[in-house]
Amino acid sequence: MMKEIEFTLNGTRTRTETQPGERLLDLLRERLGLTGTKEGCGIGSCGACTVILDGKAVNACLVPAQAVDGRELVTIEGIMQNESLHPIQDALIRHHAIQCGFCTPGLVMSAKALLDENPDPSRGEIQRAIAGNLCRCTGYEQVIEAIQDAAKGGKTQC
Ligand code: FES
Ligand code: FES
């Protein structure tokens, strides 16, 4: 049976219907048209679908859509700042940490959840925060440098 849910999506109160068993990933991509959140594995192993739910990075492929009722959700579409890229996105570009880009939205969301909670993370804390985000192209060194740079305010010359 369809169920109506209401939640805050990227700062906007949103009401929609969900089907039993529907994944949050499918609600976002297919019902709400937010295709920035990617599907890689579909089983919680790649991090391509990472979104931020009540401040925590979660895999949207593992979260039932109905579980977001009454909660606050942020997706990659919601992190622009005054029409500009988020500092993490800007740093990833400057540090050449993007190739095909498929993993990038998920990496950005994991990094954002980390920096929102801990604005000055150690290298180890960054590694742990992105441990669930697989990148098959770039490797992780540039990604870690970019997140460190964003934490410092994006001032590092590359
Ligand atoms: S698609 Fe969700 S973790 Fe891979
Ligand atoms: S840039 Fe291609 S998977 Fe990460």
Side-chain angles (χ1 to χ4, degrees), residues 49-90:
C49 65
T50 305
V51 295
I52 300 177
L53 183 60
D54 290 341
K56 302 286 180 203
V58 298
N59 292 326
C61 70
L62 297 183
V63 175
Q66 295 184 354
V68 304
D69 191 23
R71 301 172 74 182
E72 181 158 351
L73 182 70
V74 181
T75 70
I76 190 71
E77 288 87 354
I79 66 165
M80 297 273 285
Q81 297 183 342
N82 299 324
E83 302 297 313
S84 298
L85 290 177
H86 187 280
I88 296 168
Q89 294 172 302
D90 184 61

Short mmCIF file of all heavy atoms in Angstrom, two decimals, residues 49-90:
data_model
loop_
_atom_site.label_atom_id
_atom_site.label_comp_id
_atom_site.label_asym_id
_atom_site.label_seq_id
_atom_site.Cartn_x
_atom_site.Cartn_y
_atom_site.Cartn_z
N CYS A 49 26.01 5.84 -3.66
CA CYS A 49 24.67 6.35 -3.35
C CYS A 49 24.62 7.14 -2.04
O CYS A 49 23.54 7.35 -1.50
CB CYS A 49 23.70 5.18 -3.27
SG CYS A 49 24.11 4.09 -1.88
N THR A 50 25.79 7.58 -1.54
CA THR A 50 25.82 8.21 -0.21
C THR A 50 25.04 9.52 -0.17
O THR A 50 25.21 10.39 -1.03
CB THR A 50 27.29 8.48 0.21
OG1 THR A 50 28.03 7.25 0.12
CG2 THR A 50 27.35 9.02 1.63
N VAL A 51 24.19 9.63 0.82
CA VAL A 51 23.45 10.87 1.11
C VAL A 51 23.60 11.13 2.61
O VAL A 51 24.13 10.28 3.35
CB VAL A 51 21.96 10.74 0.72
CG1 VAL A 51 21.80 10.58 -0.78
CG2 VAL A 51 21.30 9.57 1.46
N ILE A 52 23.16 12.29 3.05
CA ILE A 52 23.29 12.62 4.47
C ILE A 52 21.90 12.66 5.10
O ILE A 52 21.05 13.47 4.71
CB ILE A 52 24.03 13.96 4.67
CG1 ILE A 52 25.43 13.87 4.06
CG2 ILE A 52 24.11 14.30 6.15
CD1 ILE A 52 26.23 15.18 4.13
N LEU A 53 21.66 11.76 6.04
CA LEU A 53 20.36 11.65 6.71
C LEU A 53 20.56 12.02 8.18
O LEU A 53 21.33 11.36 8.89
CB LEU A 53 19.84 10.22 6.56
CG LEU A 53 18.46 9.93 7.14
CD1 LEU A 53 17.39 10.80 6.48
CD2 LEU A 53 18.11 8.44 6.96
N ASP A 54 19.88 13.10 8.60
CA ASP A 54 20.03 13.60 9.97
C ASP A 54 21.51 13.74 10.35
O ASP A 54 21.94 13.35 11.44
CB ASP A 54 19.32 12.69 10.98
CG ASP A 54 17.79 12.77 10.85
OD1 ASP A 54 17.29 13.75 10.26
OD2 ASP A 54 17.12 11.85 11.31
N GLY A 55 22.29 14.27 9.40
CA GLY A 55 23.69 14.57 9.68
C GLY A 55 24.67 13.43 9.49
O GLY A 55 25.87 13.63 9.61
N LYS A 56 24.18 12.25 9.20
CA LYS A 56 25.07 11.09 9.03
C LYS A 56 25.07 10.61 7.58
O LYS A 56 24.01 10.57 6.94
CB LYS A 56 24.61 9.91 9.92
CG LYS A 56 24.53 10.24 11.40
CD LYS A 56 25.91 10.34 12.01
CE LYS A 56 25.84 10.66 13.49
NZ LYS A 56 27.06 11.28 14.01
N ALA A 57 26.24 10.22 7.10
CA ALA A 57 26.34 9.66 5.75
C ALA A 57 25.75 8.25 5.77
O ALA A 57 26.12 7.43 6.61
CB ALA A 57 27.79 9.62 5.31
N VAL A 58 24.83 8.00 4.85
CA VAL A 58 24.21 6.67 4.75
C VAL A 58 24.15 6.26 3.29
O VAL A 58 24.20 7.10 2.38
CB VAL A 58 22.77 6.64 5.34
CG1 VAL A 58 22.78 6.98 6.82
CG2 VAL A 58 21.83 7.58 4.58
N ASN A 59 24.02 4.96 3.06
CA ASN A 59 23.87 4.44 1.71
C ASN A 59 22.39 4.41 1.35
O ASN A 59 21.61 3.65 1.94
CB ASN A 59 24.44 3.03 1.61
CG ASN A 59 25.95 3.00 1.76
OD1 ASN A 59 26.63 3.92 1.33
ND2 ASN A 59 26.47 1.96 2.37
N ALA A 60 22.01 5.20 0.36
CA ALA A 60 20.60 5.30 -0.01
C ALA A 60 20.06 4.00 -0.58
O ALA A 60 18.84 3.81 -0.63
CB ALA A 60 20.39 6.45 -1.00
N CYS A 61 20.94 3.11 -1.02
CA CYS A 61 20.46 1.82 -1.54
C CYS A 61 20.02 0.89 -0.42
O CYS A 61 19.36 -0.12 -0.68
CB CYS A 61 21.51 1.16 -2.43
SG CYS A 61 22.97 0.55 -1.54
N LEU A 62 20.41 1.20 0.81
CA LEU A 62 20.07 0.33 1.93
C LEU A 62 18.96 0.89 2.81
O LEU A 62 18.49 0.21 3.72
CB LEU A 62 21.31 0.08 2.81
CG LEU A 62 22.49 -0.65 2.15
CD1 LEU A 62 23.60 -0.88 3.17
CD2 LEU A 62 22.05 -1.97 1.54
N VAL A 63 18.58 2.14 2.57
CA VAL A 63 17.59 2.80 3.45
C VAL A 63 16.21 2.70 2.79
O VAL A 63 16.04 3.11 1.64
CB VAL A 63 17.96 4.29 3.66
CG1 VAL A 63 16.89 5.00 4.46
CG2 VAL A 63 19.33 4.41 4.34
N PRO A 64 15.23 2.15 3.49
CA PRO A 64 13.86 2.17 2.93
C PRO A 64 13.37 3.61 2.81
O PRO A 64 13.58 4.42 3.71
CB PRO A 64 13.04 1.41 3.99
CG PRO A 64 14.05 0.69 4.85
CD PRO A 64 15.30 1.52 4.81
N ALA A 65 12.71 3.91 1.72
CA ALA A 65 12.23 5.28 1.51
C ALA A 65 11.34 5.73 2.66
O ALA A 65 11.40 6.89 3.10
CB ALA A 65 11.48 5.37 0.18
N GLN A 66 10.54 4.82 3.16
CA GLN A 66 9.60 5.22 4.23
C GLN A 66 10.32 5.59 5.52
O GLN A 66 9.75 6.25 6.37
CB GLN A 66 8.57 4.10 4.46
CG GLN A 66 7.69 3.90 3.21
CD GLN A 66 6.59 2.88 3.39
OE1 GLN A 66 6.51 2.21 4.42
NE2 GLN A 66 5.74 2.76 2.38
N ALA A 67 11.60 5.20 5.63
CA ALA A 67 12.35 5.50 6.86
C ALA A 67 12.74 6.97 6.96
O ALA A 67 13.18 7.42 8.02
CB ALA A 67 13.61 4.63 6.92
N VAL A 68 12.61 7.74 5.87
CA VAL A 68 13.01 9.16 5.95
C VAL A 68 11.85 10.05 6.40
O VAL A 68 12.02 11.26 6.55
CB VAL A 68 13.60 9.69 4.61
CG1 VAL A 68 14.78 8.85 4.18
CG2 VAL A 68 12.56 9.80 3.52
N ASP A 69 10.69 9.46 6.64
CA ASP A 69 9.53 10.25 7.08
C ASP A 69 9.89 11.06 8.32
O ASP A 69 10.39 10.50 9.32
CB ASP A 69 8.37 9.29 7.38
CG ASP A 69 7.06 10.03 7.57
OD1 ASP A 69 6.92 11.16 7.06
OD2 ASP A 69 6.17 9.47 8.24
N GLY A 70 9.70 12.37 8.25
CA GLY A 70 9.94 13.24 9.40
C GLY A 70 11.39 13.61 9.61
O GLY A 70 11.72 14.29 10.59
N ARG A 71 12.28 13.19 8.72
CA ARG A 71 13.71 13.41 8.94
C ARG A 71 14.27 14.43 7.95
O ARG A 71 13.56 14.97 7.12
CB ARG A 71 14.43 12.06 8.85
CG ARG A 71 13.87 11.08 9.88
CD ARG A 71 14.40 9.69 9.73
NE ARG A 71 15.78 9.58 10.19
CZ ARG A 71 16.48 8.45 10.12
NH1 ARG A 71 15.93 7.36 9.61
NH2 ARG A 71 17.72 8.41 10.56
N GLU A 72 15.57 14.70 8.09
CA GLU A 72 16.21 15.70 7.25
C GLU A 72 17.23 15.01 6.35
O GLU A 72 18.16 14.36 6.82
CB GLU A 72 16.91 16.75 8.12
CG GLU A 72 17.58 17.82 7.29
CD GLU A 72 17.81 19.10 8.07
OE1 GLU A 72 17.30 19.22 9.20
OE2 GLU A 72 18.49 19.96 7.51
N LEU A 73 17.06 15.20 5.05
CA LEU A 73 17.90 14.53 4.07
C LEU A 73 18.60 15.57 3.19
O LEU A 73 17.99 16.54 2.73
CB LEU A 73 17.03 13.62 3.19
CG LEU A 73 17.76 12.79 2.14
CD1 LEU A 73 18.58 11.69 2.80
CD2 LEU A 73 16.77 12.18 1.16
N VAL A 74 19.88 15.35 2.96
CA VAL A 74 20.64 16.21 2.03
C VAL A 74 21.26 15.32 0.97
O VAL A 74 21.87 14.30 1.28
CB VAL A 74 21.74 17.00 2.78
CG1 VAL A 74 22.49 17.91 1.80
CG2 VAL A 74 21.15 17.84 3.91
N THR A 75 21.10 15.72 -0.29
CA THR A 75 21.72 15.01 -1.40
C THR A 75 22.72 15.93 -2.08
O THR A 75 22.81 17.12 -1.76
CB THR A 75 20.67 14.56 -2.44
OG1 THR A 75 20.18 15.74 -3.12
CG2 THR A 75 19.51 13.82 -1.78
N ILE A 76 23.43 15.38 -3.04
CA ILE A 76 24.46 16.17 -3.74
C ILE A 76 23.84 17.43 -4.38
O ILE A 76 24.51 18.45 -4.51
CB ILE A 76 25.19 15.29 -4.79
CG1 ILE A 76 26.41 15.99 -5.36
CG2 ILE A 76 24.24 14.84 -5.89
CD1 ILE A 76 27.56 16.13 -4.41
N GLU A 77 22.55 17.35 -4.74
CA GLU A 77 21.91 18.52 -5.36
C GLU A 77 21.71 19.66 -4.36
O GLU A 77 21.44 20.79 -4.77
CB GLU A 77 20.55 18.13 -5.94
CG GLU A 77 20.62 17.28 -7.19
CD GLU A 77 20.71 15.77 -6.90
OE1 GLU A 77 20.84 15.40 -5.70
OE2 GLU A 77 20.65 14.99 -7.86
N GLY A 78 21.84 19.35 -3.06
CA GLY A 78 21.50 20.35 -2.05
C GLY A 78 22.68 21.06 -1.43
O GLY A 78 22.50 21.81 -0.46
N ILE A 79 23.89 20.89 -1.96
CA ILE A 79 25.04 21.44 -1.24
C ILE A 79 25.68 22.64 -1.93
O ILE A 79 26.69 23.14 -1.43
CB ILE A 79 26.10 20.36 -0.96
CG1 ILE A 79 26.73 19.85 -2.25
CG2 ILE A 79 25.48 19.21 -0.17
CD1 ILE A 79 28.01 19.09 -1.98
N MET A 80 25.13 23.08 -3.05
CA MET A 80 25.65 24.30 -3.67
C MET A 80 25.54 25.45 -2.68
O MET A 80 24.61 25.50 -1.87
CB MET A 80 24.84 24.66 -4.92
CG MET A 80 24.90 23.64 -6.02
SD MET A 80 26.27 23.85 -7.13
CE MET A 80 25.75 25.25 -8.09
N GLN A 81 26.47 26.37 -2.74
CA GLN A 81 26.44 27.52 -1.84
C GLN A 81 26.37 28.79 -2.69
O GLN A 81 27.33 29.14 -3.37
CB GLN A 81 27.69 27.53 -0.96
CG GLN A 81 27.75 26.30 -0.05
CD GLN A 81 28.94 26.31 0.89
OE1 GLN A 81 29.90 27.04 0.69
NE2 GLN A 81 28.87 25.49 1.92
N ASN A 82 25.21 29.46 -2.66
CA ASN A 82 25.01 30.67 -3.47
C ASN A 82 25.36 30.42 -4.93
O ASN A 82 26.14 31.16 -5.53
CB ASN A 82 25.83 31.84 -2.92
CG ASN A 82 25.43 32.18 -1.50
OD1 ASN A 82 24.25 32.09 -1.15
ND2 ASN A 82 26.40 32.55 -0.70
N GLU A 83 24.84 29.34 -5.48
CA GLU A 83 25.06 28.99 -6.90
C GLU A 83 26.50 28.61 -7.20
O GLU A 83 26.88 28.48 -8.36
CB GLU A 83 24.64 30.15 -7.83
CG GLU A 83 23.19 30.57 -7.69
CD GLU A 83 22.21 29.46 -8.05
OE1 GLU A 83 22.40 28.83 -9.09
OE2 GLU A 83 21.28 29.21 -7.25
N SER A 84 27.35 28.47 -6.17
CA SER A 84 28.74 28.05 -6.38
C SER A 84 28.91 26.62 -5.90
O SER A 84 28.15 26.14 -5.05
CB SER A 84 29.70 28.94 -5.60
OG SER A 84 29.60 30.26 -6.05
N LEU A 85 29.95 25.97 -6.43
CA LEU A 85 30.25 24.63 -5.95
C LEU A 85 30.56 24.66 -4.46
O LEU A 85 31.10 25.66 -3.95
CB LEU A 85 31.47 24.07 -6.70
CG LEU A 85 31.28 23.72 -8.17
CD1 LEU A 85 32.60 23.25 -8.76
CD2 LEU A 85 30.21 22.67 -8.36
N HIS A 86 30.26 23.58 -3.79
CA HIS A 86 30.65 23.45 -2.40
C HIS A 86 32.19 23.39 -2.33
O HIS A 86 32.83 22.87 -3.26
CB HIS A 86 30.05 22.15 -1.84
CG HIS A 86 30.23 21.98 -0.37
ND1 HIS A 86 31.42 21.52 0.17
CD2 HIS A 86 29.40 22.24 0.66
CE1 HIS A 86 31.28 21.49 1.48
NE2 HIS A 86 30.08 21.92 1.81
N PRO A 87 32.81 23.92 -1.28
CA PRO A 87 34.28 23.90 -1.19
C PRO A 87 34.89 22.51 -1.37
O PRO A 87 36.01 22.40 -1.90
CB PRO A 87 34.54 24.45 0.22
CG PRO A 87 33.35 25.30 0.52
CD PRO A 87 32.19 24.65 -0.17
N ILE A 88 34.20 21.47 -0.96
CA ILE A 88 34.75 20.12 -1.17
C ILE A 88 34.78 19.80 -2.67
O ILE A 88 35.76 19.25 -3.18
CB ILE A 88 33.92 19.06 -0.42
CG1 ILE A 88 34.01 19.29 1.09
CG2 ILE A 88 34.40 17.64 -0.76
CD1 ILE A 88 32.99 18.48 1.90
N GLN A 89 33.73 20.15 -3.39
CA GLN A 89 33.71 19.93 -4.84
C GLN A 89 34.82 20.73 -5.52
O GLN A 89 35.54 20.22 -6.39
CB GLN A 89 32.35 20.34 -5.42
CG GLN A 89 31.20 19.47 -4.93
CD GLN A 89 29.85 20.02 -5.37
OE1 GLN A 89 29.50 21.15 -5.05
NE2 GLN A 89 29.08 19.19 -6.07
N ASP A 90 34.96 21.97 -5.10
CA ASP A 90 35.99 22.84 -5.68
C ASP A 90 37.39 22.25 -5.43
O ASP A 90 38.23 22.20 -6.34
CB ASP A 90 35.87 24.22 -5.04
CG ASP A 90 36.82 25.22 -5.63
OD1 ASP A 90 36.72 25.47 -6.84
OD2 ASP A 90 37.69 25.72 -4.89
#
